[in-house]
Amino acid sequence: MKTRAIAIAVFTAASLFAQSRPESGKRYPRLAIRNAILIDGNGTPAAGPKDIIIENNKIVSIVGVDGPSLEFGRPNRPKADVEIDATGKYVLPGLINAHAHTQDERGGISQPLDYELKIWLACGITTVRDVGSDTKKTLELRAKSATGEVAAPRILVYPMFNAQHPVPANAEQARARIREYKAMGADGVKLMGVYRDVMEAGEDEAHKLGLPVAHHAGVEETNAWDDIKFGTRSIEHWYGIPDAALPAGVQNFPPSFNYNNETDRFRYAGHLWRETDPKRLTEVLTAMVKANVAWIPTMDIYEASRDLQRAQNQVWFKEYLHPTLEEFFKPNPKNHGSYFSAWTSNDEVFWKENYRIWMSALREFDRLGGTIGAGDDAGFIYQIYGFGLLRELELHEEAGFNPIKVIQHVTGNNARILGMEDKIGSLRVGYLADLIVVNGNPLENMKVLYPAVEPGQITGVEWTIKDGYVYHATTLAKEVREMVAKARATPHKSTN
Ligand SMILES: [Zn+2]
């Protein structure tokens, strides 16, 4: 009875405020989102309905409009000129993709940049931490996104410190490179594939300049112990963590193993977690927590290794996979991550076990107080931009995290990893207006976040608001489908 009474009250209130709907791509002096159920990014349960008022790029008020709140505290609901009716919908902080690459080509074939940008927004992503791309171009994109000139998430640029440019050969060169990135306007740096002394100097210089360090911790000279010692902000992926917990200090590779052979590398990566010593692993995870080293596992990007058929036949490929990316995903020794010509059921079995141990390590890290973030590393290995991040959330849930915590990983925790926890990642008065309106409850079903695969399907993110700029996510998803259809009709003739 009580529930029904509240529902009627809410319905009446919503119709009282029927105002003009926002136009996609605009920022408004005063915008209201009415009757939303909120899932905040701080691990607290869903609550609502509430009205959220946004002025330009800030959240200025959040008012409970459930029966008791209306009755006891706030008889007057705040007014606004433009409104989104979120009755029956869920509002979350904008999703943050903490491990992404801005790409306008794959394998030397061009791909419209807009394809990636639109999918990001369509999937509810309002902030992207770019950890390696064409730095100059991505810095320009960052500026255009900030002014609303280009429809795109907010971008943080972490140039990649590796073989893409001549690798710094010594500490001095490492310091010079970091200073160069700072002068270019980088937000942080990403290290990968460097010797220990180069890493140490690079980290030291980055700390002096206030640049957080993301470390792609591969199976290299360095491992998680170095991240702990040198003050890495976040470990990307995972290898360096189990690698630091091997009883013999090195993995039991077959003599023929070649790290530059991608089939070898990914095959034996599937044996890495099982070779760890659980006690040592706990020591590594504990030390990471103490040193405040966060972990962005990017589980989605390895999923083909445990289930190739699933990865190759995702339902959204039909309408959302750009032919350039499709070509890049095909097994081809020239392309990174395209190692599947020789993949076996044995490999999948090892990888399934690998995931189980990995997921339990993530839970242990969380229990110890560690910060887990979420990123997708899409554009490789059968993961489409944005969709990969949503799949990552499903994998965090599979790892055993309550969906409330999963949302926290991709919002509040990611904001903390980026050093922006006082501005984004939470639905709070005074915070930047970064939020999404979702058709459905992701706590019940993360799949409601995925863009529709059939026209007319009511699912996915409906509105993505970034820094106050309002984007109709459903329309952007439709535009992506059209872009893909057009590119398919004219093969090898990019619109870029
Ligand atoms: Zn990456």
Side-chain angles (χ1 to χ4, degrees):
M1 267 318 280
K2 202 179 159 211
T3 324
R4 192 182 299 166
I6 290 170
I8 291 164
V10 162
F11 178 77
T12 315
S15 40
L16 278 177
F17 287 94
Q19 302 273 333
S20 67
R21 232 170 73 128
E23 224 176 282
S24 197
K26 284 203 167 158
R27 198 188 244 176
Y28 289 91
R30 199 168 158 89
L31 165 80
I33 301 171
R34 302 278 184 209
N35 284 328
I37 306 291
L38 272 55
I39 306 172
D40 207 345
N42 60 350
T44 51
K50 296 182 193 209
D51 283 357
I52 304 165
I53 306 296
I54 294 164
E55 284 180 1
N56 297 307
N57 70 333
K58 289 267 174 68
I59 299 172
V60 295
S61 112
I62 299 175
V63 177
V65 294
D66 56 300
S69 295
L70 283 179
E71 187 80 12
F72 296 117
R74 302 179 179 272
N76 298 316
R77 298 176 75 176
K79 291 196 167 50
D81 317 313
V82 182
E83 304 208 339
I84 291 171
D85 180 7
T87 308
K89 301 179 200 286
Y90 281 69
V91 168
L92 283 63
L95 308 184
I96 300 169
N97 188 349
H99 190 117
H101 301 278
T102 309
Q103 296 169 341
D104 59 7
E105 61 81 33
R106 300 313 293 129
I109 305 169
S110 75
Q111 179 176 273
L113 179 62
D114 233 18
Y115 168 67
E116 182 173 21
L117 303 181
K118 282 185 176 172
I119 307 184
W120 275 340
L121 291 172
C123 290
I125 297 168
T126 51
T127 300
V128 157
R129 183 175 68 152
D130 182 299
V131 285
S133 61
D134 182 320
T135 306
K136 227 177 129 259
K137 274 197 211 170
T138 310
L139 284 166
E140 282 163 21
L141 177 65
R142 180 183 73 180
K144 285 182 185 159
S145 167
T147 56
E149 190 186 329
V150 169
R154 169 183 301 101
I155 302 197
L156 281 88
V157 185
Y158 284 44
M160 182 156 60
F161 196 66
N162 81 335
Q164 301 252 310
H165 318 280
V167 191
N170 54 46
E172 202 184 310
Q173 287 176 14
R175 288 182 189 279
R177 178 72 58 77
I178 300 282
R179 285 196 294 268
E180 205 180 294
Y181 289 151
K182 176 72 181 179
M184 287 174 88
D187 299 291
V189 291
K190 185 218 202 170
L191 306 184
M192 172 177 172
V194 292
Y195 288 105
R196 183 168 287 118
D197 57 324
V198 172
M199 178 180 175
E200 182 174 13
E203 292 243 17
D204 182 58
E205 195 66 28
H207 299 331
K208 282 182 191 155
L209 299 172
L211 296 174
V213 176
H215 182 217
H216 169 122
V219 175
E220 289 153 5
E221 186 174 286
T222 62
N223 61 35
W225 289 117
D226 299 289
D227 293 299
I228 291 158
K229 193 154 68 183
F230 302 145
T232 299
R233 186 68 202 89
S234 63
I235 287 181
E236 309 298 305
H237 318 303
W238 55 281
Y239 316 91
I241 296 168
D243 204 46
L246 293 171
V250 66
Q251 203 187 329
N252 195 18
F253 296 117
S256 63
F257 180 91
N258 178 351
Y259 193 65
N260 275 7
N261 174 329
E262 290 216 321
T263 307
D264 266 9
R265 188 161 80 241
F266 283 95
R267 173 165 294 149
Y268 291 99
H271 298 225
L272 181 48
W273 279 109
R274 74 195 325 260
E275 291 190 29
T276 55
D277 171 49
K279 204 174 138 264
R280 267 174 190 255
L281 182 58
T282 301
E283 286 164 12
V284 174
L285 297 174
T286 307
M288 279 172 65
V289 174
K290 265 199 197 134
N292 203 22
V293 179
W295 186 1
I296 296 162
T298 68
M299 282 185 278
D300 67 301
I301 206 64
Y302 303 93
E303 213 187 357
S305 296
R306 77 165 184 176
D307 192 349
L308 184 57
Q309 198 177 354
R310 180 191 202 283
Q312 290 176 328
N313 294 285
Q314 297 173 61
V315 281
W316 26 85
F317 279 5
K318 199 172 143 232
E319 290 196 278
Y320 291 97
L321 181 57
H322 193 279
T324 299
L325 202 49
E326 183 173 27
E327 190 57 35
F328 185 73
F329 286 162
K330 288 182 185 155
N332 178 348
K334 277 197 305 199
N335 295 340
H336 169 52
S338 303
Y339 50 92
F340 288 104
S341 347
W343 209 242
T344 67
S345 29
N346 264 218
D347 292 325
E348 292 191 351
V349 171
F350 273 108
W351 266 94
K352 280 174 186 168
E353 183 200 41
N354 208 40
Y355 266 90
R356 286 195 292 273
I357 309 170
W358 182 4
M359 286 173 170
S360 91
L362 279 162
R363 286 199 310 277
E364 184 178 6
F365 183 60
D366 174 69
R367 273 198 304 276
L368 292 165
T371 303
I372 296 171
D376 66 12
D377 204 14
F380 302 97
I381 328 183
Y382 304 107
Q383 288 299 351
I384 307 184
Y385 318 105
F387 289 85
L389 186 69
L390 302 179
R391 180 62 190 152
E392 179 70 7
L393 303 187
E394 290 192 87
L395 289 166
H396 283 228
E397 194 177 347
E398 183 186 329
F401 294 105
N402 184 300
I404 293 174
K405 287 200 81 157
V406 176
I407 298 299
Q408 187 182 8
H409 292 173
V410 74
T411 57
N413 284 10
N414 272 353
R416 194 146 27 109
I417 291 165
L418 269 52
M420 295 187 74
E421 69 273 24
D422 57 344
K423 295 183 187 72
I424 60 172
S426 185
L427 299 168
R428 278 178 67 167
V429 170
Y431 273 47
L432 295 177
D434 274 24
L435 41 90
I436 58 175
V437 181
V438 183
N439 287 305
N441 179 1
L443 299 180
E444 182 185 34
N445 183 11
M446 287 295 170
K447 292 183 202 299
V448 302
L449 292 164
Y450 287 110
V453 284
E454 284 161 34
Q457 202 182 357
I458 307 295
T459 183
V461 178
E462 187 172 335
W463 295 97
T464 297
I465 303 175
K466 179 219 68 176
D467 206 21
Y469 290 102
V470 183
Y471 298 101
H472 194 240
T474 319
T475 303
L476 291 174
K478 188 171 144 263
E479 287 170 11
V480 171
R481 294 197 296 271
E482 288 164 359
M483 193 187 295
V484 167
K486 207 175 141 212
R488 292 233 176 115
T490 50
H492 303 298
K493 235 185 103 198
S494 173
T495 50
N496 198 22

